[in-house]
Amino acid sequence: GLPAALPALPLELTVLYNSLLFTVGASDSGIKGEAEGIRQGLLRVLEACGSCGQDLGTEDLWQKVLQEVTVEELQAPLHRLGALQAAWWLAAGRLGSVAGLFRLLSTAEEPGRSHCSEGQNELLSLIKAWRVPPEGASLPLVQSAKDLKEILCTAAAFLQGLLELEAGNFPTALSLLQEAAGGFCSKKILAQIYTCLGCCAQQMGKPQTALQQLKRALQVDFQCLPALFHAAAVYHELGETDVELQALTLLYEALRKNPPADASSSPYFLMRTELLVRTPVLFSLLRHHHPSEVKYLLAQRCLQDGRVADAVEHYLDFLSFLQEGLQQQVPLDGSSALPRIPEVFLEAASALEQAGRHQDAITVCEEVISRTTDLIPRVLQVEERLEQPDCSSPGAELAGGLLSQKKESLCCLAWRAAGYLHQGWAWAKLGESKEAVTQFSRCLNDLLRLQLHGSGVKPTEHLQAEVEVLQKIRMLSLIGRGTQFLEMGRHKEALLDFQHSLQISPGDPAAASYLVQALWKLNRKQEAAAQWQKLSQSSPGEDGQQRGQGRPLPLYLVSCLEQAMFPHSEPLARSIQDYLGTAAQDSSS
């Protein structure tokens, strides 16, 4: 409340500088809002010089103070306070304000001098060109302005590098992150910078360089577990499954033994780089994963690579996580590596089937079926011309909600139908053809709920993926039921199922092969031979194209697709060739 006096201002500004640093150092949550203390300090400086600036914004206030206040004793404390203001603005992402402030500070020292050469980053050049004011022996500082300058340089390079990385400007991001890596920071932050460098190199298509940077991150700070997660992703990209699984296993064990701590690792400085760089892209790259997410990735990769026994073990471990209340521990906002929970159950069932544990697979599928039964409407209509509403149009929110609800219903229908499909194949493997037919029929009856409306019976693009999955499930179920009809000697019913499956997926080699077999068993050998010739004339490339058309299949359906493959191609081909040879001889004679 005392009036401002010039002789006391250097001490007053130094006390303000120290107190603000103590306030920042006492918190690990980052710098937020405006530094009101700095603004009040500047106003007292103007008051002591016979001026005022109550109506000015903070940037204009700084400009007025640095241009009008020429008292020599105030230059050093003002410059130190300016560096602290730059830290506040840097934490808020106001890079232009920071550059403008350092331009003013440098102009006050050397008017007319340019501090940025061509090709250099302007903000970094301005910070580096700033001359740190000398410290007075009688006014001790809790953190020197020289250290603060180094931290500002590192934070500015790191922050800009992250922004360029997010914008997809990878060469610029790489240069800025390399600049940050050579700066003044703790081992924790250095490891984070190396992790970001690795991610940048990966985005640039340089996996080996990415691995080098990620290994550096772990060498600097072995607790930087996100680096290990990203290294596993790079190994996956390179197709090095063994090393990828080793990395994921190490990550899982580390997360189970040492849950990530949020405490700062830089206790020696009050103002730290980690308090200034807190952007969404950094949080995304350095997000700590729950052990269950890593366990799921292990299960998924083992299943994809055919390591069925390991996949079963990992899936069962993951399912045990669900009993521990996994939903409360893992973010469900899209940042998690986990798919929807019913899909994980179906993948587990697929792994159990492939491991020969058919009864367990049936039990797991029953859980999916029972949980989704009440979530599916009796009739589910998908219109051809349904459009995603314009966000600005009246009723857009309601229409978008209806579309989302319909999408969710389609997903639930797919999961339930896939549960029946897996149960059908499991019963078939157990030799229970009658029970298998029952489950395949339940799957097909479920899918009768789906009604496509429109001239081309083509659903809106926003629901296309879900409808394609449902159509694939229908085709696989028809093939599955048809095979069991063949086992039971009900060849006419089998033929109908194979014909219907070909209507859904024309040219599918498995359905076409089974159709030939059904015709042959019905003694319609001439038709069977004609169909076989038509099938054999289609090139392997066309078959591959037919099987791989559309979007990739969900992982939980891959084993069903493999089980639907026709296993008797060579014996059937020999029988048909013998028949054609005999028919040719008879006609010539």
Side-chain angles (χ1 to χ4, degrees):
L2 295 173
L6 277 174
L9 276 178
L11 176 60
E12 189 176 327
L13 293 179
T14 301
V15 170
L16 175 61
Y17 173 85
N18 285 339
S19 66
L20 286 170
L21 281 171
F22 276 125
T23 301
V24 168
S27 170
D28 280 321
S29 60
I31 299 174
K32 298 176 182 176
E34 283 284 352
E36 186 60 29
I38 295 178
R39 177 179 176 82
Q40 294 304 319
L42 295 178
L43 290 173
R44 285 181 66 79
V45 169
L46 288 177
E47 180 187 345
C49 295
S51 184
C52 65
Q54 290 285 357
D55 298 333
L56 297 176
T58 307
E59 290 185 51
D60 293 334
L61 189 59
W62 268 107
Q63 184 174 359
K64 183 177 180 67
V65 168
L66 291 174
Q67 288 178 350
E68 295 184 7
V69 177
T70 57
V71 179
E72 185 64 30
E73 292 79 9
L74 290 178
Q75 296 307 304
L78 278 174
H79 273 243
R80 284 193 288 268
L81 209 57
L84 210 52
Q85 177 71 77
W88 246 267
W89 281 341
L90 200 59
R94 294 173 58 179
L95 303 183
S97 299
V98 177
L101 179 56
F102 275 105
R103 199 176 289 113
L104 285 171
L105 292 171
S106 299
T107 303
E109 295 170 348
E110 299 177 81
R113 179 185 169 190
S114 173
H115 301 282
C116 182
S117 303
E118 186 178 353
Q120 291 183 321
N121 182 272
E122 183 186 19
L123 178 56
L124 291 178
S125 298
L126 286 166
I127 297 175
K128 289 176 181 178
W130 173 57
R131 292 184 179 179
V132 178
E135 295 184 22
S138 60
L139 300 175
L141 304 174
V142 294
Q143 186 170 344
S144 72
K146 180 182 177 183
D147 289 341
L148 185 54
K149 174 182 176 179
E150 294 295 332
I151 288 170
L152 288 172
C153 279
T154 304
F158 193 10
L159 180 59
Q160 290 182 100
L162 288 169
L163 294 174
E164 295 292 346
L165 179 60
E166 187 177 27
N169 302 324
F170 302 125
T172 307
L174 196 68
S175 175
L176 287 163
L177 291 171
Q178 286 171 341
E179 175 84 24
F184 188 72
C185 61
S186 65
K187 287 185 176 181
K188 175 183 175 181
I189 291 297
L190 183 57
Q192 292 181 3
I193 294 170
Y194 280 136
T195 301
C196 295
L197 277 166
C199 294
C200 184
Q202 183 184 12
Q203 293 286 337
M204 295 174 73
K206 299 179 178 180
Q208 295 300 335
T209 304
L211 288 174
Q212 290 175 2
Q213 300 291 358
L214 294 169
K215 287 176 181 177
R216 283 181 185 174
L218 290 166
Q219 288 167 354
V220 170
D221 180 7
F222 65 90
Q223 291 186 337
C224 186
L225 299 183
L228 193 54
F229 181 84
H230 289 296
V234 176
Y235 284 124
H236 176 63
E237 184 181 300
L238 290 171
E240 298 184 21
T241 306
D242 288 336
V243 191
E244 178 197 356
L245 292 176
Q246 288 175 17
L248 288 173
T249 302
L250 284 173
L251 178 59
Y252 175 74
E253 294 299 331
L255 288 170
R256 289 287 280 179
K257 292 177 182 177
N258 302 304
D262 294 328
S264 169
S265 60
S266 309
Y268 307 109
F269 295 104
L270 298 170
M271 181 66 73
R272 306 182 295 277
T273 305
E274 49 263 53
L275 297 178
L276 305 182
V277 184
R278 304 176 71 85
T279 65
V281 64
L282 181 63
F283 290 140
S284 174
L285 292 174
L286 300 180
R287 186 177 76 82
H288 285 287
H289 294 79
H290 189 271
S292 63
E293 295 179 80
V294 182
K295 176 60 73 172
Y296 170 73
L297 285 175
L298 280 165
Q300 180 196 57
R301 293 297 297 122
C302 286
L303 183 59
Q304 289 172 333
D305 199 53
R307 306 178 189 218
V308 177
D310 291 337
V312 167
E313 180 183 345
H314 291 311
Y315 274 115
L316 293 180
D317 286 344
F318 177 84
L319 295 183
S320 71
F321 275 116
L322 292 179
Q323 298 176 341
E324 300 172 9
L326 176 63
Q327 289 89 336
Q328 284 76 45
Q329 303 172 51
V330 179
L332 299 177
D333 57 0
S335 62
S336 169
L338 297 177
R340 300 290 295 277
I341 296 302
E343 294 187 18
V344 181
F345 270 80
L346 291 169
E347 289 174 18
S350 177
L352 288 164
E353 278 183 68
Q354 293 177 63
R357 297 172 59 174
H358 304 300
Q359 287 288 359
D360 291 335
I362 290 168
T363 302
V364 170
C365 288
E366 193 59 41
E367 183 73 14
V368 176
I369 293 167
S370 64
R371 294 294 183 94
T372 54
T373 296
D374 297 332
L375 303 177
I376 307 168
R378 298 180 69 86
V379 176
L380 189 53
Q381 296 183 352
V382 178
E383 293 80 11
E384 180 183 9
R385 300 186 182 278
L386 183 63
E387 298 291 339
Q388 178 76 312
D390 182 2
C391 294
S392 60
S393 64
E397 186 176 346
L398 176 61
L402 290 173
L403 185 63
S404 177
Q405 184 179 359
K406 187 161 290 189
K407 190 182 186 78
E408 182 69 8
S409 296
L410 287 171
C411 288
C412 290
L413 179 58
W415 298 330
R416 179 178 158 93
Y420 284 132
L421 176 65
H422 276 288
Q423 286 186 333
W425 284 113
W427 284 115
K429 291 290 184 181
L430 290 169
E432 300 287 344
S433 294
K434 186 175 180 180
E435 187 63 39
V437 166
T438 299
Q439 300 308 318
F440 286 130
S441 297
R442 285 176 176 169
C443 173
L444 293 167
N445 290 337
D446 245 17
L447 294 174
L448 291 176
R449 300 173 187 235
L450 179 65
Q451 296 181 5
L452 299 178
H453 292 278
S455 57
V457 209
K458 182 179 180 181
T460 169
E461 60 179 300
H462 304 290
L463 302 175
Q464 182 72 28
E466 289 74 21
V467 173
E468 282 183 7
V469 168
L470 288 166
Q471 294 289 62
K472 183 64 75 172
I473 292 173
R474 176 179 280 152
M475 186 203 75
L476 291 172
S477 196
L478 284 166
I479 291 177
R481 191 172 69 173
T483 62
Q484 297 312 297
F485 280 147
L486 287 177
E487 290 287 331
M488 298 165 71
R490 295 161 62 176
H491 301 145
K492 288 184 179 180
E493 292 165 283
L495 180 64
L496 285 173
D497 276 349
F498 298 139
Q499 287 173 334
H500 288 154
S501 65
L502 280 172
Q503 289 174 2
I504 296 169
S505 182
D508 182 83
S513 299
Y514 275 116
L515 178 69
V516 171
Q517 186 183 39
L519 288 168
W520 189 262
K521 287 183 177 290
L522 285 167
N523 207 30
R524 293 162 61 174
K525 296 185 176 180
Q526 189 171 355
E527 292 178 67
Q531 288 290 340
W532 178 80
Q533 286 178 317
K534 181 181 177 182
L535 177 63
S536 60
Q537 286 170 2
S538 64
S539 66
E542 290 176 0
D543 288 348
Q545 184 179 2
Q546 173 65 27
R547 298 191 72 78
Q549 68 182 0
R551 297 167 177 80
L553 270 184
L555 181 58
Y556 63 82
L557 285 182
V558 172
S559 63
C560 295
L561 189 66
E562 292 170 352
Q563 290 181 90
M565 297 289 286
F566 185 68
H568 311 299
S569 297
E570 291 185 9
L572 182 61
R574 283 197 298 270
S575 298
I576 292 175
Q577 286 171 342
D578 291 343
Y579 167 78
L580 290 173
T582 302
Q585 289 177 358
D586 291 344
S587 61
S588 62
S589 61

